[in-house]
Amino acid sequence: PHAKNIIQHYIEYDPNFAPISKIEAQNQLEILEGRLSTAQSHIMKESIRTALLALAEFHKKRGELREALRRVFRSREYCANGRQHTQVCLLLVELSADLREWSSARDSITRAEHTVMGDMDDPLFHHKLRAMQGLAYLAEGRYYDAAKSFTSVSPDLTNQVNSVISAEDIAMYGSLLGLATLDREMLHSLVIDGTFKVRLELVPDMREALRHYSRAEYGQCLSILQHTLKRDLLVDIHLHSHVPILLDMVRDKCIEQYFQPYSSASLEKMGSVFGCTLEEMEMIVVKLIGNGSLGEGARVNVADLTLRVESGDNLEKKTRRRARVAAAKMGAHFTRSAEGMIMRAACIESGVTIQGEKQRRGGRPRGGRPQMHDDDPEMVVDDDPEMEKGVDPIEMDGSDSDGDVMEIENPNEF
């Protein structure tokens, strides 16, 4: 009833429309099936292909996309020239995209790219495939590959594949993905200064964001993305689920570019530039330090709330010192191991062993020392008080310290 009231608000509701449409669709389906049967009985390849494509178009209009895909897939066997191959390949990719079966779409694109088409009469065929391949990469989260695909599409491709992706979509997807994934040099060569810049006329807000980014005006760039473009991007059919991730990637990239020429920066000042509170900026910076985006020596000074990065000389000194400590520990461990093996070999050669199993079975007398018997083939050695406690004589050496700092003679020799 609610839907009926909404429809009646715009047009007059016709209760007979649905049953009449079903009857007409059934009659049309019978006619198309009859044409296909006639073509198959006469073994006419061109007629069979045409009948299958007509059935695919019928099912597509009714929203029966999987049945339409099956019909188009069968029609590929009856293609006789390059033009027919290109038509079928594009239909397969388009239906796979509508079904959100991106793996099938990429398989169809790969098969189409490697198909020999000597008389192909569509010069934009491969550019259409690149645009659709960019959609598949975008859906799979491969943003860098998607950016490369969209930016490589020829400007001559406008609305030839409007049922899948429009010229404005190509411009928006290519510029946003490029801003999020490409470095500054590639962004200028492929997007801002390349052939793709013609498409930026279709998305003026995105063009302004790119202009601010190229001028290192990162606050204005993020402001346009967050307050002007984000609302439209969130309702985009292909981009809506990726918008938060891509905007975070752009923000992190801007912070990296902003901090690159400095050795120290105030978190409060950075928050004012990027439109974040002090706590939010601190969390973002900690995340970037954790994944190594700000360099190895980046640290947050919580005392004065600044982001600092150590100089290359200090980092080199720390690296060399860690190497010296690791080498010294390795040498001490090797020395202890060698001494232990020599001591064990000497004890075995002299017939001096510890009968631990016999001690556990027989126990100890009240005197605290085990009884010695001359007729025993092996003598129990228990003179060392530390041995009674089960302490390894090798572990008694305190030369190996578990700390990170080790005293090394003449550290300058390294």
Side-chain angles (χ1 to χ4, degrees):
H2 182 64
K4 180 179 177 181
N5 294 332
I6 294 177
I7 295 174
Q8 287 180 343
H9 181 73
Y10 296 98
I11 59 175
E12 184 179 356
Y13 177 73
D14 185 6
N16 299 322
F17 175 78
I20 292 175
S21 298
K22 289 182 179 179
I23 295 174
E24 291 177 353
Q26 184 64 31
N27 294 336
Q28 186 178 0
L29 178 61
E30 292 176 358
I31 293 173
L32 295 175
E33 291 283 2
R35 291 177 182 175
L36 177 61
S37 300
T38 302
Q40 289 175 338
S41 63
H42 291 83
I43 317 179
M44 300 171 63
K45 293 184 63 175
E46 178 61 24
S47 299
I48 295 174
R49 189 188 69 85
T50 304
L52 286 172
L53 291 179
L55 282 169
E57 185 65 23
F58 169 79
H59 290 298
K60 181 182 176 181
K61 288 182 178 180
R62 288 183 55 82
E64 301 167 350
L65 300 179
R66 199 165 297 281
E67 182 64 21
L69 182 64
R70 187 180 69 85
R71 300 284 190 178
V72 175
F73 189 81
R74 285 187 57 194
S75 69
R76 190 175 58 180
E77 303 173 3
Y78 301 96
C79 295
N81 53 52
R83 183 182 60 81
Q84 295 175 359
H85 272 290
T86 58
Q87 180 186 11
V88 171
C89 288
L90 291 176
L91 285 174
L92 286 174
V93 176
E94 179 181 345
L95 290 171
S96 299
D98 291 338
L99 288 169
R100 297 296 186 268
E101 295 181 354
W102 300 110
S103 59
S104 177
R106 283 195 296 105
D107 292 342
S108 300
I109 292 171
T110 304
R111 191 181 297 111
E113 289 177 342
H114 293 83
T115 301
V116 178
M117 302 174 184
D119 54 346
M120 183 179 60
D121 58 353
D122 187 1
L124 297 176
F125 173 71
H126 290 288
H127 294 281
K128 295 177 182 178
L129 293 181
R130 288 177 192 172
M132 296 180 183
Q133 191 173 40
L135 287 179
Y137 286 145
L138 174 62
E140 295 173 350
R142 299 168 59 179
Y143 301 130
Y144 178 79
D145 295 330
K148 295 294 290 292
S149 296
F150 285 125
T151 54
S152 63
V153 176
S154 172
D156 297 331
L157 182 66
T158 54
N159 292 322
Q160 287 86 344
V161 285
N162 202 23
S163 58
V164 180
I165 184 172
S166 64
E168 290 81 2
D169 292 337
I170 297 175
M172 179 60 71
Y173 298 169
S175 55
L176 180 60
L177 291 168
L179 185 59
T181 59
L182 301 179
D183 57 32
R184 182 175 289 273
E185 182 179 356
M186 291 187 65
L187 184 65
H188 274 272
S189 62
L190 296 179
V191 180
I192 299 177
D193 299 328
T195 57
F196 191 82
K197 67 179 181 180
V198 179
R199 296 187 179 274
L200 297 179
E201 301 295 331
L202 302 174
V203 282
D205 292 331
M206 195 68 212
R207 182 188 59 192
E208 288 297 312
L210 289 170
R211 184 175 62 85
H212 286 300
Y213 177 83
S214 64
R215 296 180 178 180
E217 299 171 352
Y218 303 117
Q220 293 89 325
C221 174
L222 293 178
S223 177
I224 293 175
L225 292 177
Q226 291 286 348
H227 302 106
T228 305
L229 292 174
K230 186 175 181 180
R231 292 173 296 179
D232 296 333
L233 296 177
L234 288 174
V235 296
D236 187 274
I237 188 173
H238 296 294
L239 204 61
H240 65 278
S241 60
H242 307 278
V243 171
I245 300 174
L246 291 173
L247 293 184
D248 287 346
M249 291 174 65
V250 174
R251 181 202 61 200
D252 295 346
K253 184 178 177 182
C254 290
I255 293 175
E256 296 171 21
Q257 295 285 331
Y258 176 85
F259 184 69
Q260 187 175 6
Y262 301 106
S263 60
S264 177
S266 171
L267 293 180
E268 185 176 0
K269 176 70 178 299
M270 292 177 64
S272 63
V273 171
F274 294 101
C276 303
T277 63
L278 180 60
E279 291 77 12
E280 293 173 347
M281 180 54 62
E282 185 175 358
M283 292 177 61
I284 294 171
V285 168
V286 168
K287 185 192 73 172
L288 293 177
I289 292 174
N291 58 31
S293 300
L294 296 178
E296 183 181 357
R299 297 290 185 271
V300 174
N301 189 338
V302 296
D304 54 1
L305 295 176
T306 57
L307 173 62
R308 299 179 181 274
V309 61
E310 296 184 6
S311 63
D313 294 339
N314 291 336
L315 292 176
E316 185 179 357
K317 289 180 181 179
K318 286 190 174 182
T319 303
R320 293 179 61 185
R321 189 174 188 283
R322 283 197 294 267
R324 292 198 301 267
V325 171
K329 285 187 176 182
M330 186 181 300
H333 178 72
F334 177 79
T335 302
R336 293 176 63 250
S337 299
E339 292 175 351
M341 288 187 290
I342 293 172
M343 183 179 294
R344 178 175 176 80
C347 290
I348 294 175
E349 184 178 356
S350 302
V352 179
T353 60
I354 301 174
Q355 295 180 346
E357 190 67 26
K358 187 173 182 180
Q359 287 179 4
R360 286 194 293 271
R361 290 198 303 268
R364 286 180 179 269
R366 290 182 179 274
R369 296 180 58 84
Q371 295 181 357
M372 310 289 292
H373 301 281
D374 295 334
D375 55 349
D376 287 345
E378 295 182 347
M379 181 175 61
V380 178
V381 179
D382 200 12
D383 292 336
D384 192 352
E386 295 294 340
M387 197 69 71
E388 295 182 2
K389 301 177 183 179
V391 179
D392 188 353
I394 305 302
E395 294 183 355
M396 293 168 58
D397 183 10
S399 61
D400 187 13
S401 175
D402 293 335
D404 293 335
V405 180
M406 173 173 289
E407 296 294 333
I408 303 174
E409 295 182 2
N410 192 13
N412 294 324
E413 66 181 353
F414 293 89

